[in-house]
Structures are given as C-alpha cells and as structure tokens.
Amino acid sequence: MLKLEHISKTFHPGTVHEKRALQDLSLHLAPGDFVTIVGSNGAGKSTLFNAIAGTFLPDSGTITLAGADITDLPDFKRSKDIGRMFQDPLKGTAPNMTIEENLALAYLRASHAKSPFSRVSKADREEFREALSRLGLGLEDRMRQPVGLLSGGQRQALTLLMATLVTPKLLLLDEHTAALDPATAEKVLALTKSIVAEHRITCLMITHNIQSALDLGNRTIMMSAGRIVLDVADGQRAGLTMEDLLALFREKTAQKLDNDRILLG
C-alpha cells in the first residue's frame, strides 16, 4: 500500500542551521497495516509524515501509494487519498463554520467522483448525521452549530470523522490524543481503533506513549536521527514490555531514549 524508498531530507543545507531530518529511510506498509511510531523529539517522526503528505519534496528517494508514484505530487492532490490528524485540536477544523459545513468540505475534497464546486445533497447530510451519531457525542443534534463551540475532544472526534468520511488509502495520526485529558484521549483512541478496524484503513500513528505503541495496531517502529532503528511486528511484539522496547532501542542505537514525555507517558 505505502512504499518509501531511500527517502532523505536536509533542511537549510550548507548553513549553520543544517538539519538532516530524514536519512535514507525506507518503509513498506501492506494494506490494512496499523503501525505505531515512537521516538524522541527531533527523531524525524513528523518530518516523515510531512514527506508522505507532500508538505515538502524529499531530496532523494521515492514515495509510492497504492501502486502510484506520488513523490512529486503536491499536497492538495495527495489529500484526496491521505487523511491526517494533528496534535492540536484546532488544526483539523474551521471554527467559524458549522459541523455540517466542515463535514461537507471534507467530503467534497476527498470524493474523487465530485467536483469541488458541487453541493452536498439531502442524502449526504443524512449520512453525515448517521456518521456523527456513531461517535456517541450527540453532535448529530448540533450540526448547525459552529465547530468553535466544541471541546477539544469533540473537535478531535469530528476531525477523525472528517479524515475518514471517504475512506482514505492512508491515515496519518500525529499524536492526535496528546493534547486531550486522559479520559477524553481514551475515548478518541477507542473511536480511532473502531473506525480504522471497521474500514481496514492503512494507518500510521505517532505516539509518545510506549505502552499504547505496543498495544495498538500490528506493528511498532522506533525512530532516531531521521532513521528507523527498530521495526517489530505482531509476532515479535507479543509479550514485549516498555522496558523490553527501551532495551532494544539501546541495543540498536547505543544510547538511551531520554525523552521524559515518552518515559512518563
């Protein structure tokens, strides 16, 4: 489904601010893979997502999605096939627009069958209402309210729905529960698991919580200095503890994972 071959990216090359963000990184995902990603700040996790989403073009390497080379495709064209959520609940929605209008924008942008100048039908709006009801937050009765009135957890749940309203070929989750309180984060995470499983969406999820990285999905990778240093799938992950994963990281990199946010998570 997703193939990254020898991706490299250096920001501000030849200056004092030079940063080698991705270094000869290769990653293959099969259809339906749910991969969790762990790493310290600066390891290259979000940069990897930006490369996949088309925020910038890599210096070298190729990116293939569902058999199509998207290496040079601009981000707005990739967005039809790639759903993405950020840590900040404010990033995924337009606060001054209603819930219904946000859903309509997401639907029309991701639907290959419709012109961007199309309008949603009454049947479309009924589908929006039904999808909202499955979130269990009562948002189906607030479709005409501005999104800015919602809580952070409600906005993230709505953003998740917007990102998957038309099933994407790939879903990128960039610490999408990190800014939420524990109870709300748990609910949004449960919704994520349910939606990804129901639609068999190929998914990459960055998390600072090592236990979540081991519990979720079918595969866990760890990054350091722009490289993937550890890649463990279901069979290898079975029975692994947080301490085991940290020991494997030390073995592969000859250094400790010293990010307090990860260790305390």
Side-chain angles (χ1 to χ4, degrees):
M1 175 58 76
L2 176 69
K3 290 185 179 181
L4 285 82
E5 300 280 2
H6 306 292
I7 296 296
S8 294
K9 180 65 180 180
T10 299
F11 293 104
H12 312 297
T15 74
V16 294
H17 301 294
E18 180 173 305
K19 169 66 175 177
R20 298 181 68 188
L22 297 175
Q23 302 188 56
D24 195 34
L25 185 149
S26 294
L27 176 65
H28 295 182
L29 268 65
D33 268 352
F34 187 162
V35 181
T36 55
I37 306 175
V38 181
S40 299
N41 290 337
K45 305 182 300 297
S46 292
T47 306
L48 171 63
F49 275 20
N50 286 336
I52 295 170
T55 305
F56 58 76
L57 298 181
D59 297 332
S60 60
T62 59
I63 303 172
T64 306
L65 181 63
D69 187 342
I70 62 170
T71 310
D72 298 320
L73 205 65
D75 55 356
F76 70 91
K77 289 189 176 180
R78 297 189 202 192
S79 68
K80 291 180 178 293
D81 295 315
I82 300 175
R84 188 174 185 182
M85 289 183 68
F86 297 89
Q87 178 179 333
D88 186 352
L90 302 181
K91 278 193 173 182
T93 52
N96 295 322
M97 299 178 69
T98 66
I99 293 173
E100 181 181 309
E101 289 168 340
N102 273 269
L103 287 169
L105 279 177
Y107 177 69
L108 293 175
R109 182 189 69 235
S111 176
H112 290 273
K114 289 183 176 288
S115 159
F117 301 104
S118 300
R119 293 185 179 183
V120 296
S121 66
K122 182 178 179 181
D124 292 331
R125 287 193 290 272
E126 286 303 314
E127 288 184 15
F128 296 165
R129 179 178 294 277
E130 183 180 343
L132 284 167
S133 69
R134 291 198 292 268
L135 297 180
L137 300 173
L139 298 182
E140 68 274 14
D141 298 320
R142 301 173 61 183
M143 288 179 63
R144 299 297 178 90
Q145 289 189 5
V147 168
L149 298 179
L150 303 182
S151 67
Q154 289 171 328
R155 288 181 75 154
Q156 283 299 66
L158 177 61
T159 303
L160 175 63
L161 181 58
M162 290 167 61
T164 57
L165 196 59
V166 176
T167 304
K169 292 177 181 175
L170 179 68
L171 179 62
L172 304 176
L173 305 173
D174 193 346
E175 295 196 75
H176 69 304
T177 62
L180 308 177
D181 65 82
T184 305
E186 187 175 341
K187 185 160 190 174
V188 171
L189 206 53
L191 286 170
T192 302
K193 291 167 61 178
S194 174
I195 290 173
V196 168
E198 179 184 353
H199 299 287
R200 289 190 53 79
I201 299 171
T202 305
C203 181
L204 280 166
M205 186 182 86
I206 296 171
T207 177
H208 66 274
N209 188 307
I210 292 181
Q211 195 58 55
S212 290
L214 291 171
D215 291 342
L216 292 169
N218 65 307
R219 186 173 162 196
T220 298
I221 65 177
M222 296 189 77
M223 293 186 64
S224 178
R227 294 188 175 97
I228 294 173
V229 296
L230 188 65
D231 188 341
V232 289
D234 264 343
Q236 298 169 291
R237 287 199 321 172
L240 278 182
T241 65
M242 184 177 82
E243 290 74 19
D244 294 332
L245 203 61
L246 292 174
L248 286 171
F249 181 85
R250 286 195 298 271
E251 179 183 323
K252 295 289 186 180
T253 64
Q255 58 184 319
K256 292 183 179 180
L257 186 65
D258 57 1
N259 187 294
D260 289 342
R261 188 171 171 222
I262 290 176
L263 297 177
L264 294 174

